[in-house]
Amino acid sequence: MIRTWPEDWESRKQGAGCPFCTDLTSRSFHSGRISEALLERYAIATGHAAVVFRRRHVSTFTALAPDELADYWLDIQDVGRAIERVFKPCHVNYQLLGNIVPHLHVHVVPRYLDDSAPERPLPWNPSLVSEEDFVSRARELRDAMTSGTRGR
Ligand SMILES: [Zn+2]
């Protein structure tokens, strides 16, 4: 076998140098039950967000206890609803990847009627969101989160 994954992959999965363990606040637009919702600065779609499990470092959802799993998906659902309200996508993809940062997070990717890959996942070609757009989108999402996503 010729190894293709990085030599430090196993230690990164254990949390070594994990960026989500050191900074979850700079891009956050919402603190959920058990997660932090981040707006992506390098986005593959308008409104691309990530919901990061914040209780501790885990690399996979299979490590969660049942109550943690329920709270986590409820948090993801809240973020999905806010994204639906703010950006009016035609569909939303929920992508649990962790191939670069192996700390449990789910990408919430709005899909639009004019995007480049109808009926397929979007290619992972992120582009830097301008500071102006980043700030206004984060504000809209923050407002949408506080205007009542829970209890629907
Ligand atoms: Zn971590």
Side-chain angles (χ1 to χ4, degrees), residues 98-117:
N99 297 318
I100 298 172
V101 178
H103 176 129
L104 178 59
H105 62 287
V106 167
H107 290 274
V108 184
V109 181
R111 303 299 305 271
Y112 299 98
L113 288 173
D114 63 348
D115 75 26
S116 65

Side-chain angles (χ1 to χ4, degrees), residues 5-145:
W5 284 67
E7 289 300 325
D8 65 351
W9 180 246
E10 284 76 15
S11 66
R12 283 163 55 196
K13 280 182 69 176
Q14 297 300 315
C18 177
F20 288 160
C21 285
T22 53
D23 177 24
L24 272 182
T25 56
S26 64
R27 290 181 289 147
S28 175
F29 62 86
H30 177 72
S31 297
R33 298 162 184 82
I34 202 164
S35 70
E36 209 66 32
L38 313 180
L39 190 59
E40 292 287 357
R41 283 202 181 272
Y42 288 87
I44 63 171
T46 298
H48 177 187
V51 182
V52 182
F53 184 78
R54 67 152 191 256
R55 180 168 284 175
R56 65 185 177 283
H57 181 91
V58 292
S59 62
T60 171
F61 82 97
T62 57
L64 300 186
D67 61 320
E68 292 176 323
L69 187 61
D71 281 348
Y72 187 51
W73 282 101
L74 287 166
D75 283 353
I76 293 164
Q77 185 183 56
D78 286 345
V79 171
R81 286 173 172 168
I83 284 174
E84 288 170 356
R85 284 202 302 277
V86 171
F87 299 104
K88 311 273 190 289
C90 69
H91 188 51
V92 179
N93 291 165
Y94 298 87
Q95 297 177 268
L96 203 169
L97 303 171
N99 297 318
I100 298 172
V101 178
H103 176 129
L104 178 59
H105 62 287
V106 167
H107 290 274
V108 184
V109 181
R111 303 299 305 271
Y112 299 98
L113 288 173
D114 63 348
D115 75 26
S116 65
E119 301 181 284
R120 301 187 312 277
L122 279 178
W124 206 267
N125 296 318
S127 56
L128 180 63
V129 177
S130 74
E131 184 63 21
E132 182 183 356
D133 285 345
F134 182 86
V135 168
S136 71
R137 291 172 191 171
R139 186 185 324 110
E140 286 181 287
L141 284 171
R142 203 172 290 120
D143 291 347
M145 296 301 303

